[in-house]
Amino acid sequence: MRRQERGLEGKNVLITGATSGIGRAATIALSQANPERMLIVGRREERLQELGSELNRLYPQIKVDRLALDVRDRVTVEKEIGDYCTRYPIDLLLNNAGLAAGNAPIDQCDTDDWERMIDTNVKGLLYVTKAVVPAMIKQGKGHIINISSIAGREVYPNGNVYCATKHAVTALTLGMRQDLVGKGIKVSQVSPGAVETEFSIVRYHGDEERARKVYEGYTPLTAEDVAECILFMATAPEHVNIAEIFVLPAAQGDTRIFTRD
Ligand code: NDP
Ligand code: 8X3
C-alpha cells in the first residue's frame, strides 16, 4: 500500500497541540498532502502565529486558521470549534494535545497534576471530538487520529495517572471506532515511545536538566518521525484504516528498557 501523495486535497484538518513537538511537526508534515484548510489549536497564541506564518511561506495555497484555546475549557471548545465546524466541516482531526505532569509514586503525587492530565488528555480530547463529530457524521466521512502512547499499552512505576489517561485514550479510540464505523468515519491512533519534545520539560515542571536525562545515551524519536507516521496514516487510501501505529526508538524495549551508551 502506498500513501496518496495529495491525499488531503480539498480537505479540512484540525490539529490540537500544534504549538510544539508532535503537533507542530504533524501540521507541517500534513501540509505536504495539500489540504484545503488547517485549523491549528493550542494555548500559546504567539506560537500559533509563528507556525501560521511558516505554513503561509511553505504552502501559500493552504488556508490556515488559528485558535488559541485550552482544550479543558468545555464551553469555549463547544462554541469555538463547534461554530468553526458548521462553516468548515473537519475531515481529519488530530487529537494530539496532552501532557504528563509529575513522576512520583501514587501516594506522593500532586493532585493538581492529576487534574491537569485527566482534564487535558481525556476530557479535553472528548470535548474536541464531540465538537467535531456531528459535522463529520453529516457529511458521512471523516478521520480521527488520537495520539496515545506506549503508556496506553503498559504502565511503569511512577507513571500511574499519566498511563491511566493514555490507557483511556486507547479505550476511547476502540470505542469511537465501534460507534462511528457505520457512519463512514475512520478512527485510528498513533502510540509512540520516547520522543524528544517539550514533553519531559512539562512533566518535570520546567526542570530542563532532569528532562534532558530522559533522552541521554540513546537516540529518541523526533517529533518529525512521529509526524511521518501520522502522515502515512492520514493519507492511506479511502478504503484503508491503519488502526494503530506503535512506534519506538530502536533503543527502546518497553517503557523501562532502554539500551544506553
Ligand atoms: P509537547 O509538550 O512538545 O507538546 C504538547 C502540546 O499539547 C503543545 O502544543 C501544547 O500547547 C498542547 N497542550 C497541552 N495542554 C493543552 C491544553 N490544555 N489545551 C490546549 N493545548 C494543550 O509534547 P509532545 O509533542 O511530546 O506531546 C504531544 C502528545 O504526544 C501528547 O498527547 C503526549 O502525551 C503524546 N506522547 C508524547 C510522547 C513523548 O515521549 N514526547 C510519547 C507518546 C505520546 P500549549 O502549551 O500551547 O497549549
Ligand atoms: C510518553 C512516553 O513512556 O514517558 O507517552 O510515558 S512515556
Side-chain angles (χ1 to χ4, degrees):
M1 187 194 68
R2 289 167 60 85
R3 75 175 182 85
Q4 306 177 81
E5 287 301 327
R6 298 169 76 82
L8 295 176
E9 200 132 71
K11 296 195 170 166
N12 300 329
V13 175
L14 190 170
I15 295 136
T16 67
T19 54
S20 173
I22 295 169
R24 189 183 190 287
T27 303
I28 291 170
L30 290 167
S31 301
Q32 291 169 33
N34 203 31
E36 173 80 13
R37 186 175 283 277
M38 301 186 102
L39 176 61
I40 51 175
V41 178
R43 287 168 301 180
R44 286 171 286 182
E45 171 68 38
E46 68 291 352
R47 296 249 190 137
L48 292 175
Q49 272 180 20
E50 181 274 324
L51 178 57
S53 304
E54 177 74 354
L55 290 173
N56 288 335
R57 190 180 65 77
L58 292 172
Y59 304 100
Q61 76 283 10
I62 300 174
K63 299 169 194 76
V64 181
D65 297 313
R66 306 181 306 261
L67 189 53
L69 60 69
D70 189 325
V71 296
R72 294 171 295 181
D73 181 345
R74 177 177 159 181
V75 173
T76 305
V77 168
E78 275 173 9
K79 166 134 191 46
E80 299 290 335
I81 297 185
D83 283 357
Y84 188 90
C85 291
T86 59
R87 281 176 290 137
Y88 307 112
I90 298 300
D91 299 286
L92 171 66
L93 166 63
L94 180 64
N95 270 322
N96 164 76
L99 79 159
N103 186 252
I106 197 76
D107 55 307
Q108 292 166 37
C109 294
D110 180 338
T111 311
D112 287 342
D113 284 345
W114 290 351
E115 308 275 16
R116 279 175 68 202
M117 290 188 280
I118 294 168
D119 289 352
T120 309
N121 301 359
V122 184
K123 291 165 69 180
L125 179 147
L126 285 168
Y127 298 158
V128 173
T129 305
K130 190 146 191 269
V132 165
V133 158
M136 278 187 178
I137 291 178
K138 208 165 166 190
Q139 63 180 8
K141 62 183 169 69
H143 191 178
I144 300 170
I145 300 178
N146 296 325
I147 302 301
S148 184
S149 168
I150 189 174
R153 304 168 60 101
E154 57 179 272
V155 295
Y156 52 90
N158 302 335
N160 42 62
V161 173
Y162 177 69
C163 296
T165 65
K166 288 297 175 178
H167 275 67
V169 172
T170 299
L172 287 170
T173 299
L174 298 173
M176 285 182 198
R177 188 180 308 133
Q178 290 176 342
D179 295 345
L180 297 173
V181 68
K183 302 186 191 305
I185 299 171
K186 301 198 265 191
V187 184
S188 318
Q189 75 175 19
V190 176
S191 303
V195 193
E196 188 163 12
T197 61
E198 294 175 12
F199 177 85
S200 293
I201 299 172
V202 172
R203 167 170 245 169
Y204 295 122
H205 306 291
D207 184 341
E208 295 195 14
E209 184 53 27
R210 195 168 172 204
R212 202 181 47 74
K213 286 201 165 65
V214 173
Y215 311 106
E216 218 165 57
Y218 70 100
T219 306
L221 295 173
T222 63
E224 289 72 24
D225 294 327
V226 181
E228 279 298 315
C229 297
I230 294 167
L231 176 63
F232 185 69
M233 185 175 256
T235 55
E238 287 293 331
H239 70 287
V240 176
N241 180 13
I242 300 173
E244 180 170 11
I245 295 181
F246 176 34
V247 57
L248 300 175
Q252 183 169 13
D254 63 18
T255 49
R256 294 187 243 187
I257 298 174
F258 290 84
T259 305
R260 296 184 196 256
D261 300 336

